[in-house]
Amino acid sequence: MSIGLETARTIVATARSSGVDNKFKALTVVVLDAGGHVVAAECEDGSSIGRFDIAFGKAYGALSLGIGSRSIMARAEQQPYFVAAATAAVGGKLVPVPGGVLVRDGTGTIVGAVGVSGDTSDNDESAAVAGIVSVDLIADVG
């Protein structure tokens, strides 16, 4: 199983709504399927030009290493050479800060990832989590 289009659209809409409700800066939300393909993405009015790439890198990095981007950041602090090598191995498409959240189904299988960028990394992550839980999937930030 992987994330379908309608599910991805709901995740994006809810993540954006969470951002508005919490008065976050303009967000960019990217939803990837389990293979790392973009299923849905939206950049809010006022998003800066690099936000898609950052949101994508947060989600893609989480999928690539099988851990949320918050955990990748912690690993980068402890093992910077490993994260640098992993970043090179995936063509530079890894952003090691919070905001990239794995999406798991009820059995624990990874079905995709969500990346959010635009506000603080903690706020980006909370918007991603809101989107994921809104579709009854499991948000794995670890």
Side-chain angles (χ1 to χ4, degrees):
M1 181 179 142
S2 199
I3 295 177
L5 180 59
E6 291 309 314
T7 299
R9 286 178 173 165
T10 301
I11 290 170
V12 169
T14 305
R16 290 184 55 219
S17 178
S18 174
V20 170
D21 292 346
N22 289 292
K23 298 182 180 11
F24 295 167
K25 295 177 183 173
L27 298 179
T28 296
V29 183
V30 176
V31 180
L32 306 180
D33 67 15
H37 306 99
V38 175
V39 180
E42 289 188 10
C43 299
E44 292 183 327
D45 294 345
S47 291
S48 57
I49 63 171
R51 292 298 178 179
F52 172 85
D53 295 318
I54 295 167
F56 177 86
K58 290 177 180 185
Y60 196 84
L63 280 175
S64 295
L65 296 181
I67 57 176
S69 61
R70 177 177 294 279
S71 293
I72 297 171
M73 181 179 74
R75 189 142 186 207
E77 292 167 348
Q78 297 168 356
Q79 297 177 306
Y81 293 116
F82 171 78
V83 173
T87 301
V90 298
K93 299 180 282 187
L94 189 153
V95 177
V97 295
V101 180
L102 292 173
V103 181
R104 295 184 183 272
D105 66 13
T107 68
T109 302
I110 295 172
V111 295
V114 176
V116 178
S117 182
D119 204 274
T120 67
S121 294
D122 289 340
N123 288 346
D124 293 345
E125 182 181 81
S126 73
V129 168
I132 295 164
V133 300
S134 76
V135 294
D136 296 322
L137 291 169
I138 299 165
D140 181 355
V141 299

